[in-house]
Amino acid sequence: MKQTPVRNSALRGSARPRMLRAVYSGSLEVYANLALEQQLYEALQPDEIVLLLWRNSPSVVIGRHQNPWTECDLQAMQRDGVKLARRASGGGAVYHDGGNGNFSFLAGADYYDQQLQFSIVIAALAALGIAAQRSGRNDILADGRKFSGNAFRYRKEKSYHHGTILIDTDLPRLSAYLNPAHTAVRESKAIASVRSGVVNLSELKAGLQWPAVCRQLVAGAERAWGGAARVEQIDQQRLDGDDDVRARVAELCSWQWLYGRTPDFGCVHRLERDGHGGSESGAELELELQLHRGRIADLKLHPDQEYAALAQQLRRTLGGVRYRPEDLRRCAAALSRDGPARSVCRQLALQLQATADTPLGTEEQG
C-alpha cells in the first residue's frame, strides 16, 4: 500500500530540533500517565520534541471542559472498577483499556506542526497496511469509521497534541460507559462529545499489536524531524518514586479536579415525598439545582407552591455545599431532627453515590 507522504511544512525545511525523545511508559495507571505527560510538558525545552507512547487500564478520560455526569455512566464505572479521569486538553470523552494505545506529541512553538503530526500517525499506519484519513473534526478514520480521537493544548511557547488508537479495545464496554442511560443534568455550559461509529484496527489488520504501531510512530517522527530519537523507558516503579508525579496524581484523582472543575450546569433530581405532609405515599417531588464550580448555587422544588417553606430551608442548608455525597450526608446529620430537609439531603447523597470516596483535593480559589 502506498504510504502517505510526511511533509514538513512548518519546520523551515531542514530545521531539526536539538533533541527528539521517544518516551515509552510502562505504566497502565491513567493518573500516573497523565501526570507524566504534564511533567514532560512543563519541563519541555523550546528546541525539544517529545513523543510519549502510553496505554491505560480501563478508564474514561473526559476533556477539560466537560461534564462527567453527562459524558459517562458513573454508576456502571463504579460497579466495574473503571476510573474517571479529566485531562488538561479540550475535546471529548474517550474510553481507554489495554487494547487502546495513546500518543502525545509535545513540542516547542517553532516545531509544533499539527498537520505534520497527523501525517506521522497516518503514515505509520500506512506502513502497517492500513489506509487512514483525517476527518474534519480532528478524528482519524479507517474504513469510514473512527479509531483515533485527538485533542490539543496550546501555549505561546509550546503545545501538545495527543490521541487514541483503537487496536483491540472492548467496544461493547466503550459504548456502555460513554452512553449513560440516565442523567439528572438538564442544561450545561460544558462541551458535549460527538458520538461516532468506531472500529478496532485489528479488524482491518489481523494480529496488529501496539508495539508495532509504536515502532512505526517513532520511525515516522525520526523521518519527519530528520534525526534519531533518544528512546526512554519509564516504568511504574520510577513513577511511584517521583515526588512531582505523585503530587500531580493526587490532584488528577481528586474530586475537585474530576467534578469540581465541571462548567456550570443545572440538574433535576426526582425524590420521594415521604414525610413531606399532605402528599400521597410513593409520589415524587423534583429538586432542581444550579451548580457553580461543583457547588450548589441555587435550588427550586416542584411543585413549588406546596413546598415553598421546604425550599427556603434547603437553600439555607445546601447553599454553597459541594455536589458530593459526603458533604450532603454531613448536611443531613447537622439538621436537628428527622424531617423533609434531612430526607432530601439523604436521598440526594444516595443518588450521587457513584462519586463517593473520591479524595477532595485542593479547591481552586476565585
Side-chain angles (χ1 to χ4, degrees), residues 24-28 32 36 232-241:
Y24 291 82
S25 173
S27 173
L28 293 176
L36 173 61
E232 306 170 36
Q233 302 277 352
I234 298 180
D235 60 19
Q236 185 66 52
Q237 184 177 5
R238 177 174 164 185
L239 294 173
D240 289 342

Side-chain angles (χ1 to χ4, degrees), residues 96-208:
H96 290 187
D97 63 12
N100 168 75
N102 304 289
F103 61 86
S104 304
F105 292 101
L106 303 88
D110 289 341
Y111 298 95
Y112 184 83
D113 184 342
Q114 210 157 281
Q115 181 56 50
L116 173 62
Q117 291 145 203
F118 273 107
S119 295
I120 291 171
V121 178
I122 291 169
L125 296 172
L128 294 167
I130 298 171
Q133 308 83 34
R134 180 182 174 184
S135 80
R137 291 196 314 102
N138 293 322
D139 298 330
I140 309 178
L141 313 180
D143 192 39
R145 291 173 286 173
K146 174 180 173 179
F147 69 86
S148 176
N150 293 257
F152 319 95
R153 189 175 188 192
Y154 306 106
R155 288 184 183 173
K156 183 178 180 180
E157 71 279 7
K158 55 189 169 183
S159 298
Y160 67 73
H161 163 191
H162 51 194
T164 58
I165 298 181
L166 298 179
I167 298 174
D168 190 26
T169 202
D170 189 330
L171 296 184
R173 294 185 86 184
L174 178 154
S175 178
Y177 300 137
L178 295 184
N179 292 283
H182 305 286
T183 177
V185 177
R186 293 295 179 265
E187 46 92 12
S188 175
K189 294 182 179 180
I191 302 297
S193 296
V194 178
R195 308 302 181 195
S196 304
V198 296
V199 63
N200 273 321
L201 293 182
S202 60
E203 179 184 330
L204 307 178
K205 179 71 174 181
L208 183 66

Side-chain angles (χ1 to χ4, degrees), residues 286-303:
E286 288 189 347
L287 174 64
E288 180 182 344
L289 300 176
Q290 294 296 321
L291 281 297
H292 174 66
R293 294 192 177 183
R295 291 177 177 269
I296 298 171
D298 196 10
L299 65 83
K300 295 179 182 178
L301 279 178
H302 302 285

Side-chain angles (χ1 to χ4, degrees), residues 354-366:
T355 68
D357 302 320
T358 305
L360 181 57
T362 302
E363 186 163 8
E364 188 177 79
Q365 300 300 311

Side-chain angles (χ1 to χ4, degrees), residues 44-355:
L44 187 75
Q45 298 301 304
D47 55 356
E48 184 179 47
I49 295 171
V50 175
L51 171 58
L52 173 64
L53 300 163
W54 46 296
R55 292 187 298 168
N56 292 320
S57 58
S59 49
V60 171
V61 184
I62 62 173
R64 183 183 186 95
H65 306 295
Q66 291 200 291
N67 185 322
W69 287 280
T70 59
E71 291 298 328
C72 46
D73 190 330
L74 294 169
Q75 290 184 329
M77 289 165 59
Q78 182 194 48
R79 180 194 66 215
D80 298 341
V82 175
K83 294 178 180 177
L84 172 71
R86 183 189 295 274
R87 60 181 183 269
S89 63
V94 290
Y95 173 68
H96 290 187
D97 63 12
N100 168 75
N102 304 289
F103 61 86
S104 304
F105 292 101
L106 303 88
D110 289 341
Y111 298 95
Y112 184 83
D113 184 342
Q114 210 157 281
Q115 181 56 50
L116 173 62
Q117 291 145 203
F118 273 107
S119 295
I120 291 171
V121 178
I122 291 169
L125 296 172
L128 294 167
I130 298 171
Q133 308 83 34
R134 180 182 174 184
S135 80
R137 291 196 314 102
N138 293 322
D139 298 330
I140 309 178
L141 313 180
D143 192 39
R145 291 173 286 173
K146 174 180 173 179
F147 69 86
S148 176
N150 293 257
F152 319 95
R153 189 175 188 192
Y154 306 106
R155 288 184 183 173
K156 183 178 180 180
E157 71 279 7
K158 55 189 169 183
S159 298
Y160 67 73
H161 163 191
H162 51 194
T164 58
I165 298 181
L166 298 179
I167 298 174
D168 190 26
T169 202
D170 189 330
L171 296 184
R173 294 185 86 184
L174 178 154
S175 178
Y177 300 137
L178 295 184
N179 292 283
H182 305 286
T183 177
V185 177
R186 293 295 179 265
E187 46 92 12
S188 175
K189 294 182 179 180
I191 302 297
S193 296
V194 178
R195 308 302 181 195
S196 304
V198 296
V199 63
N200 273 321
L201 293 182
S202 60
E203 179 184 330
L204 307 178
K205 179 71 174 181
L208 183 66
Q209 298 290 326
W210 175 235
V213 176
C214 290
R215 287 192 294 271
Q216 291 300 329
L217 287 170
V218 173
E222 291 176 330
R223 290 194 301 273
W225 283 297
R230 190 181 83 182
V231 177
E232 306 170 36
Q233 302 277 352
I234 298 180
D235 60 19
Q236 185 66 52
Q237 184 177 5
R238 177 174 164 185
L239 294 173
D240 289 342
D242 188 316
D243 291 342
D244 178 66
V245 168
R246 289 204 305 270
R248 294 176 189 272
V249 166
E251 178 186 3
L252 288 166
C253 69
S254 70
W255 184 92
Q256 193 57 45
W257 175 255
L258 295 173
Y259 302 104
R261 291 295 296 267
T262 301
D264 293 0
F265 68 100
C267 57
V268 175
H269 289 268
R270 290 181 172 82
L271 308 174
E272 292 293 326
R273 294 191 187 187
D274 281 351
H276 291 186
S279 300
E280 63 179 284
S281 178
E284 291 183 335
L285 61 82
E286 288 189 347
L287 174 64
E288 180 182 344
L289 300 176
Q290 294 296 321
L291 281 297
H292 174 66
R293 294 192 177 183
R295 291 177 177 269
I296 298 171
D298 196 10
L299 65 83
K300 295 179 182 178
L301 279 178
H302 302 285
D304 52 357
Q305 292 183 339
E306 185 176 354
Y307 294 108
L310 176 58
Q312 286 294 337
Q313 183 182 9
L314 287 172
R315 288 190 188 98
R316 291 192 299 270
T317 301
L318 296 179
V321 171
R322 282 181 289 261
Y323 190 59
R324 181 172 180 258
E326 292 87 346
D327 293 63
L328 291 163
R329 283 195 288 269
R330 280 195 289 270
C331 286
L335 292 169
S336 59
R337 59 183 177 82
D338 282 336
R342 179 174 285 186
S343 174
V344 167
C345 293
R346 286 173 172 171
Q347 290 183 68
L348 186 55
L350 187 61
Q351 292 189 14
L352 294 176
Q353 188 59 30
T355 68

